[in-house]
Amino acid sequence: MKPKPQIRTTALGYVVTVVPIIGETSNDDKYMVVGIAPNGHVTYYTSPFPSKSQAEEHRRGVVKLHRDLRAKTRARSEARTKKVKA
């Protein structure tokens, strides 16, 4: 039995993936970046990119953005709890 592939999520719980849009010829293929929220709704998508590498680069940027937002939120809440304790 093959192991199930792990679905990687961002720091905010989104699944962000590159979706191919098949054209009539292989030169017409385009790629979109789609974000699926933890509740299952598609909440983020881009206009088609002409190459898969551009779409992957954009996807990595979204993952980095979510990581930064999570860190910023965590730092803010920690600062708030320290202020309350002091």
Side-chain angles (χ1 to χ4, degrees):
M1 204 164 88
K2 284 182 11 182
K4 272 182 116 175
Q6 290 290 316
I7 296 176
R8 298 274 315 198
T9 61
T10 67
L12 299 180
Y14 283 68
V15 174
V16 181
T17 186
V18 174
V19 178
I21 302 168
I22 309 302
E24 288 187 28
T25 66
S26 60
N27 289 345
D28 295 340
D29 291 355
K30 295 194 183 320
Y31 301 88
M32 288 177 73
V33 179
V34 176
I36 303 166
N39 65 4
H41 292 107
V42 173
T43 57
Y44 178 81
Y45 56 92
T46 62
S47 56
F49 287 98
S51 72
K52 188 170 185 174
S53 61
Q54 286 177 320
E56 268 302 321
E57 189 176 327
H58 185 83
R59 187 195 68 78
R60 283 193 296 273
V62 171
V63 171
K64 184 179 182 313
L65 174 72
H66 283 201
R67 192 178 316 123
D68 294 348
L69 285 170
R70 176 77 179 258
K72 190 176 183 181
T73 305
R74 181 174 285 146
R76 194 179 299 137
S77 68
E78 286 176 4
R80 197 176 298 131
T81 57
K82 283 180 183 176
K83 189 188 290 185
V84 171
K85 288 180 182 176

